[in-house]
Amino acid sequence: MSKPRILWMSNAPWVGTGYGIQASKVIPYLKEHPDIDDVALYCYYGLQGNFARLQVGRHRIDCYPMGTDAHGNDIVGDWMNDFKANVLITLLDVFITKPQFGAEGWRWCPYAPVDHDPLPDVFKERFANAYMPIVYSKFGQRMCRDAGIDTWYVPHGVETDIFKPRNK
């Protein structure tokens, strides 16, 4: 595969949700990575109405707005095609995606919370369409492994200038 062109799908990085905050931290790192061609953002929450080119960290990023489906099932393929992306990273709960999500011809990497024991069938069904699921907890990785699903483990980021271990 040539250098990936990534469409990141989540809440907008300027909204104060957990997913939005993570997007604000991860997107600039992806944008700066030398092995990545380019990164765009599909905001299924936090950008309504029109395409925009907005500041995320130090970078101006192409930002695609939501469609009529609250979680982007209806329009993500159009945005993938418009940006000519070959990788889709979604930071969302996978159970809100349509059953065929990820089987549309691109590499889908769901960066997903896994907080059930055992892993529910809907997770197994959606992850079956994924190129590679990404989990951000060791618990999630263990639940997926127990269900026979290989994952990448990428913990959520924190501002280490602010949040750090302290001596007691």
Side-chain angles (χ1 to χ4, degrees), residues 2 5 7 11 13 16 19 75-76 78 81 84 86 95 98 116 118-119 149 153 164 166:
S2 59
R5 289 183 61 81
L7 183 64
N11 292 351
Y19 291 163
I75 201 163
V76 66
D78 294 327
N81 291 333
K84 296 176 181 54
N86 52 16
F95 55 80
K98 61 187 176 185
H116 293 80
L119 191 70
I149 298 168
Y153 168 65
K164 52 188 150 205
R166 65 181 189 152

Side-chain angles (χ1 to χ4, degrees), residues 33-110:
H33 197 285
D35 293 332
I36 294 175
D37 180 47
D38 204 359
V39 179
L41 170 63
Y42 168 33
C43 309
Y44 66 84
Y45 175 77
L47 180 64
Q48 288 76 25
N50 198 8
F51 171 85
R53 190 157 176 79
L54 300 169
Q55 196 79 21
V56 180
R58 297 184 302 267
H59 306 281
R60 303 221 17 110
I61 303 284
D62 292 342
C63 299
Y64 294 92
M66 66 181 290
T68 56
D69 179 83
H71 298 101
N73 287 290
D74 60 332
I75 201 163
V76 66
D78 294 327
W79 298 151
M80 289 291 293
N81 291 333
D82 186 75
F83 186 62
K84 296 176 181 54
N86 52 16
V87 175
L88 174 67
I89 299 175
T90 57
L91 180 56
L92 51 73
D93 296 300
V94 295
F95 55 80
I96 58 93
T97 60
K98 61 187 176 185
Q100 68 274 24
F101 198 93
E104 288 94 347
W106 56 75
R107 289 180 170 95
W108 175 40
C109 297

Side-chain angles (χ1 to χ4, degrees), residues 119 124 127-128 133 140-151:
L119 191 70
K124 296 174 195 173
F127 285 165
Q141 189 176 40
R142 188 172 69 251
M143 291 302 99
C144 288
R145 185 177 48 247
D146 290 352
I149 298 168
D150 191 26
T151 63

